[in-house]
Amino acid sequence: MRSIEMRKELTDEWHRSGIHEPKDFAILTNVLTKAWSGMTTGEYKRHKGLTKQNLRDNMTNVELALNTLAEVATTEIARERQTNISRQ
């Protein structure tokens, strides 16, 4: 449940930053997934043998922790950058 909340915070931050198109969220998600797993989201789903199932629902505890860490770190970086931009 907490990882879903962290994902929501990230997508809210992206939305505040001007990201609105689903394809843009998918692109950014692929970047994050590739950063911690070495695979895009699609590649990772194929690696796990998933078709229509939710990737997050099929992650191990370690995978989920790494994914959540990537999302939380990205959220914090985006917030910090937004704060710095606002100060200028």
Side-chain angles (χ1 to χ4, degrees):
M1 295 292 270
R2 190 81 171 115
S3 71
I4 293 169
E5 182 180 324
M6 297 294 102
R7 174 66 183 187
K8 174 82 170 93
E9 286 185 30
L10 175 59
T11 57
D12 287 350
E13 192 61 38
W14 283 343
H15 195 265
R16 277 191 290 278
S17 298
I19 305 299
H20 301 287
E21 297 297 322
K23 68 177 179 66
D24 294 329
F25 285 97
I27 290 167
L28 292 170
T29 299
N30 275 335
V31 170
L32 283 181
T33 304
K34 186 142 184 136
W36 70 263
S37 73
M39 295 177 266
T40 65
T41 306
E43 291 167 342
Y44 206 64
K45 285 180 83 169
R46 284 189 294 282
H47 168 73
K48 293 184 84 59
L50 305 174
T51 53
K52 295 188 186 266
Q53 303 94 323
N54 184 296
L55 179 58
R56 186 181 303 269
D57 291 344
N58 289 278
M59 288 181 174
T60 66
N61 288 338
V62 172
E63 292 167 330
L64 196 54
L66 292 170
N67 189 63
T68 301
L69 178 60
E71 291 177 344
V72 168
T74 301
T75 302
E76 292 302 315
I77 291 167
R79 286 179 180 157
E80 181 62 29
R81 287 187 178 166
Q82 191 62 26
T83 300
N84 289 338
I85 290 169
S86 297
R87 290 180 185 162
Q88 294 178 356

